[in-house]
Amino acid sequence: MSDFSDIIFCFKPSHVTWDDIHDLLWKAHERNRAAGMNMLYPSLPGDELEKVVGAEGRCFVAIKDGKLVGTCSYKPVRRNMWYDKGQVSAYFILEAVSPEYEGKGIYARLCKLREEDAIKRGFRLFEMDTAERNYHSQTILKNNGFRHVFFRPYKTGGIYAVHMAKWVGKSPFPKWYCKGMFLLRKVYAKVRFKPGYIKRFGI
């Protein structure tokens, strides 16, 4: 079991800036970019990330010796898709752990903190996007109870996005139905749409 005695897990304090969040995201996603998975959020400057989370969202951080080593956020969304029936869900975003602190349980602890907070606020559906070829992320989400529900190209990023969802309590849909709907959307998106491309801000 990981020893977190020297790590502080909390809501983002005022001394941690959104530019700090950006820098961590950019650093943590370096391997994804090298593999051709150019995600949108790590490319955004701090002020844009703050807007993404919004006033109703939450940002959590892990701090060791005064240094930001991990973060994750969520914000309320209403999509009105087949899997959410128009309900307001918690959309999970901005996950990152500093590479030198990976494998120490920091990400799992942050995600647990985020889910607990979302449940306390009344959310009963969690959603998250990841890159089509980010199998590691998809495996982690699947092991944490998420299911594949939607597939689309990113407007920017040069990649396709896999959308996954997790219900608090029992899912209203059987696994085979979620899988079938996901595969149908994947075939449609591959035939109909092409993704775009992004660069880091200011470059």
Side-chain angles (χ1 to χ4, degrees):
M1 185 174 181
S2 298
D3 179 15
F4 296 130
S5 60
D6 58 346
I7 300 178
I8 299 172
F9 295 88
C10 59
F11 290 115
K12 186 186 83 62
S14 59
H15 72 268
V16 174
T17 70
W18 287 102
D19 284 334
D20 293 333
I21 300 293
H22 161 79
D23 291 343
L24 179 59
L25 286 168
W26 186 255
K27 182 179 179 181
H29 284 263
E30 182 177 357
R31 282 176 295 184
N32 287 339
R33 291 193 303 277
M37 293 181 286
N38 296 291
M39 308 296 286
L40 173 61
Y41 291 141
S43 72
L44 297 179
D47 58 340
E48 291 297 321
L49 292 175
E50 183 177 12
K51 291 177 183 177
V52 167
V53 175
E56 296 300 317
R58 294 278 199 274
C59 179
F60 304 90
V61 297
I63 300 173
K64 178 179 171 63
D65 300 327
K67 177 184 177 182
L68 179 67
V69 297
T71 187
C72 68
S73 300
Y74 76 88
K75 65 177 182 178
V77 297
R78 186 190 298 273
R79 298 185 188 279
N80 199 28
M81 305 297 287
W82 71 265
Y83 53 85
D84 62 16
K85 302 300 183 182
Q87 73 182 94
V88 177
S89 62
Y91 180 42
F92 290 176
I93 50 176
L94 310 187
E95 294 83 9
V97 173
S98 187
E100 60 266 34
Y101 291 97
E102 288 181 350
K104 300 182 182 299
I106 293 174
Y107 177 75
R109 181 70 174 267
L110 281 169
C111 289
K112 181 179 180 182
L113 182 64
R114 175 173 59 182
E115 288 197 10
E116 289 175 347
D117 183 77
I119 291 173
K120 287 179 181 178
R121 296 179 69 192
F123 293 99
R124 291 297 175 264
L125 174 63
F126 307 146
E127 302 182 46
M128 185 171 171
D129 282 331
T130 187
E132 176 190 13
R133 292 187 286 113
N134 194 340
Y135 306 115
H136 177 68
S137 177
Q138 291 179 50
T139 298
I140 292 175
L141 289 170
K142 188 175 181 180
N143 290 340
N144 193 32
F146 281 78
R147 295 182 183 178
H148 293 73
V149 294
F150 203 70
F151 187 93
R152 63 182 175 82
Y154 278 121
K155 293 181 180 179
T156 55
I159 54 177
Y160 290 92
V162 168
H163 197 76
M164 302 182 72
K166 175 183 177 179
W167 290 266
V168 177
K170 185 178 179 180
S171 167
F173 307 102
K175 289 184 178 180
W176 64 264
Y177 187 79
C178 293
K179 184 176 181 179
M181 293 295 286
F182 171 77
L183 292 175
L184 284 173
R185 181 62 193 184
K186 183 175 181 178
V187 170
Y188 175 75
K190 288 280 189 175
V191 172
R192 180 67 177 81
F193 300 107
K194 291 183 179 180
Y197 183 76
I198 62 169
K199 295 182 180 179
R200 188 186 188 193
F201 75 96
I203 296 179

